[in-house]
Amino acid sequence: MPSFLFWNKRSADGDLRATDPLGFDALREAMSNGLVPLLTGATGDADEYLWTMIGLRWAKAVTQSAVDADLFEQGFARFERALKQFWYKTGASGQRRIAGIQVVKVLCAGTQPNVTRPILANQRATGLLGNYIVSLRELGLVKRGSLQPVEAEVDRLLIDVEFPNGHAWYKKWETLDETCNSVKLQKARKALGERLFGYSDDRMHYAARAVLGRPDAESWSQIELAQLDVEQRTLARATDIVTQLELAALQIFADALHGARTVSASDAARLRQLASATLKAKPFPASWQRGNSLAAALQRGISGLAEGGRPLETVHRLHLAVTRDVRGGTPWLHMIGDRPHLFAGWKPGNQARDFRFANLKSLIKQTGWKAHAR
């Protein structure tokens, strides 16, 4: 699977440089692709997978279009808006986070559903499709490079799910409620689990078996590693140390943004120790490392930190290499000692750094998938 970058919360304009000043996000995504290649950071809800496919199948039926823009604007976008109004108005969303919730609340105060008013600034990128389309293509449910469903495969997945054609179902609150409540997903959830973990990609199967072998595990390093393939075992063992190094390096970088010119002896020693341990852990997936200038810049940076010397300068060189040399952007910090006002309040983010582990566990539980002989 190609290396794709998707976070649970992406920046509004999709600019990776806005959230990844040292390149560690990219490394974590590459490691995650090696561990669970069919998931992304946003694919953690089995029912959202299924509703997305129900919506694409419905959109294809009502538009009869081979043009993706028509399929989305005249079909799926309306379906998603109606679905989210149903979720909010009936409480059917449960603990699910509804993207565009503020607009949805306003729409739900109306006398009838409204599927023409946008609920997100860029719904195609940040709504259900943005979260699931990469995975759905890799699962063979949507044609590559398009939004067109592979109808025979979708029918096989959705099994007994029926949904009305036409547009009448979302014209009134009563019909919206009745239609969506009539959809039963129990069998489709099991079919999704089999597709995700049964046969689509060996690494998905191995990862799911490893989690089931240690159901109380809370991270990759705690699962039954013997169930994984060789590279997966290496990556799983490396997840904890990579996270520690990332957080330590980002803190040094944050201090530099705020004007720091030196690093304490204790912080320097810890950074050197973490970098040495990271190199020994070999966290770079082979397929991502080959010919990848970002991977090369990270390796140089981590090697430099492991050698000791001047860690602040090494972190700054890594930042310049990632932002300017590799990505062709503008560095946040041109010189040590500067205090760029745009980043005066910046600090390392608290986003999940679990390498999609929580999503994997959630999907195993939600689909009820059980390991079986292959």
Side-chain angles (χ1 to χ4, degrees), residues 24-348:
F24 280 97
D25 276 355
L27 174 58
R28 280 188 284 104
E29 290 300 306
M31 293 172 67
S32 299
N33 284 341
L35 290 164
V36 278
L38 300 186
L39 303 185
T40 72
T43 52
D45 189 314
D47 285 4
E48 286 188 357
Y49 261 110
L50 297 172
W51 278 111
T52 301
M53 289 314 310
I54 293 169
L56 282 175
R57 185 169 69 173
W58 176 82
K60 181 66 176 179
V62 296
T63 64
Q64 291 295 307
S65 178
V67 179
D68 284 352
D70 294 341
L71 188 72
F72 181 75
E73 294 296 340
Q74 303 304 317
F76 189 87
R78 298 183 178 195
F79 175 90
E80 182 178 1
R81 292 165 192 159
L83 176 65
K84 289 182 174 179
Q85 288 171 69
F86 163 73
W87 280 347
Y88 178 75
K89 197 169 184 69
T90 64
S93 62
Q95 299 300 311
R96 181 181 292 113
R97 172 183 171 271
I98 300 177
I101 184 62
Q102 297 307 318
V103 178
V104 171
K105 287 180 180 179
V106 173
L107 298 181
C108 285
T111 58
Q112 62 188 37
N114 183 336
V115 299
T116 59
R117 178 177 172 179
I119 58 175
L120 294 164
N122 187 351
Q123 185 179 338
R124 181 165 168 175
T126 61
L128 289 175
L129 273 183
N131 288 344
Y132 289 90
I133 191 65
V134 170
S135 183
L136 293 172
R137 287 170 179 158
E138 292 299 322
L139 285 166
L141 295 166
V142 177
K143 295 177 182 178
R144 291 184 182 276
S146 83
L147 301 183
Q148 302 292 321
V150 181
E151 295 182 43
E153 297 301 319
V154 175
D155 290 344
R156 187 174 294 116
L157 172 72
L158 296 179
I159 307 179
D160 59 346
V161 173
E162 296 182 0
F163 202 84
N165 289 330
H167 301 269
W169 62 276
Y170 60 69
K171 297 296 185 179
K172 298 179 179 180
W173 291 120
E174 295 79 6
T175 53
L176 175 62
D177 189 350
E178 180 182 351
T179 300
C180 292
N181 267 322
S182 70
V183 174
K184 307 304 180 187
L185 299 177
Q186 290 89 337
K187 291 183 179 179
R189 289 189 196 108
K190 291 185 180 299
L192 175 64
E194 187 60 27
R195 197 167 193 105
L196 280 169
F197 308 120
Y199 59 85
S200 292
D201 189 294
D202 285 345
R203 290 167 295 178
M204 295 292 295
H205 182 78
Y206 301 153
R209 287 178 62 95
V211 168
L212 289 174
R214 298 279 178 82
D216 295 330
E218 297 181 354
S219 69
W220 283 105
S221 61
Q222 297 173 3
I223 63 175
E224 193 171 304
L225 295 175
Q227 296 285 351
L228 304 178
D229 71 20
V230 174
E231 182 171 77
Q232 281 181 305
R233 285 197 295 273
T234 299
L235 296 176
R237 292 189 180 106
T239 53
D240 288 347
I241 193 64
V242 167
T243 299
Q244 293 178 57
L245 175 63
E246 177 186 6
L247 291 173
L250 284 174
Q251 187 56 60
I252 297 298
F253 180 67
D255 292 343
L257 285 175
H258 302 149
R261 293 175 177 271
T262 60
V263 174
S264 70
S266 60
D267 285 345
R270 182 169 183 271
L271 204 57
R272 180 177 184 179
Q273 181 184 35
L274 291 173
S276 297
T278 298
L279 291 177
K280 292 178 182 177
K282 300 180 180 179
F284 292 85
S287 61
W288 186 68
Q289 190 174 1
R290 287 191 294 269
N292 188 320
S293 56
L294 179 56
L298 268 167
Q299 282 193 310
R300 288 194 300 271
I302 295 172
S303 296
L305 291 172
E307 292 170 2
R310 302 170 68 87
L312 187 61
E313 286 78 1
T314 302
V315 168
H316 183 235
R317 283 196 300 271
L318 174 59
H319 171 64
L320 295 178
V322 168
T323 57
R324 182 188 63 195
D325 302 341
V326 175
R327 292 177 172 156
T330 301
W332 301 7
L333 185 68
H334 290 276
M335 297 181 63
I336 293 175
D338 289 348
R339 293 173 178 264
H341 69 277
L342 288 176
F343 302 99
W346 187 86
K347 57 184 178 181

